[in-house]
Amino acid sequence: MNILITGGASGLGLATAEAVWKEGWRPLVVDVREPEQDFEHAIADLADRGQAERAVTELAERAGGLDAVVTAAGIDACGRLADVPADDWDRVIMVNLLGTASVVRAALPYLTRSRGKVVTCASTLGLRPLSDASAYCASKFGVVGFTRGLAVELRGQVGVTLLIPGGMRTGFFDGRPEQYRPGPEAGLNNPADVAQTIVFALGQPPGCEVRELVVCPSTETSWP
């Protein structure tokens, strides 16, 4: 199977690409930077719809179609609304929400032909808001709504799964002020374990769908 993965050069995206490869499937990575692993890839800034669409089309045509898309790319801009520069705030929405929609839209012709699957990546903060994270929460609440609407729209044509992960041990928290980093008590998940839940969803037969998956550290406070 040809699996297109956004954000596949790091974090959950990379873990998913590696899990897909180990499964014997073909990972196709879209990211703003080249992956260190020798995965087929296209460079694109998901905040730019044209770049996102071109990357999807390029990889799909090169691979001879798509069987699934996993939208794992995501960014954040921590701080109170009055303190986060407007451009930074807007970019979170553009990458996390609009970039997700752009990638899925571009992939739909291929996925419809293959009766493929979409797995979007939201967050526990897409269900439960947190102070100083208005951009991230807005984007991930949007991904939740987008995905639930998409599942209704595409039923019987393309499988749709909403992944709602809690915190993971990735570079996502690097460079943040200490107040915005998870404490040691959070016990964050290994992204490789979360990636296995994506593989599980992708491996279901046509017509059998894992509609939503909440996967979070047992001691993290973001859920429930």
Side-chain angles (χ1 to χ4, degrees), residues 11-13 15-16 168-170 188-198:
L12 177 61
T16 301
M168 291 170 279
R169 296 194 300 273
T170 72
L188 303 184
N189 279 333
N190 183 340
D193 295 334
V194 180
Q196 285 302 315
T197 69
I198 295 175

Side-chain angles (χ1 to χ4, degrees), residues 11-32:
L12 177 61
L14 173 58
T16 301
E18 291 174 337
V20 161
W21 180 80
K22 289 175 183 176
E23 198 70 20
W25 303 337
R26 184 180 185 180
L28 307 168
V29 169
V30 177
D31 207 301
V32 290

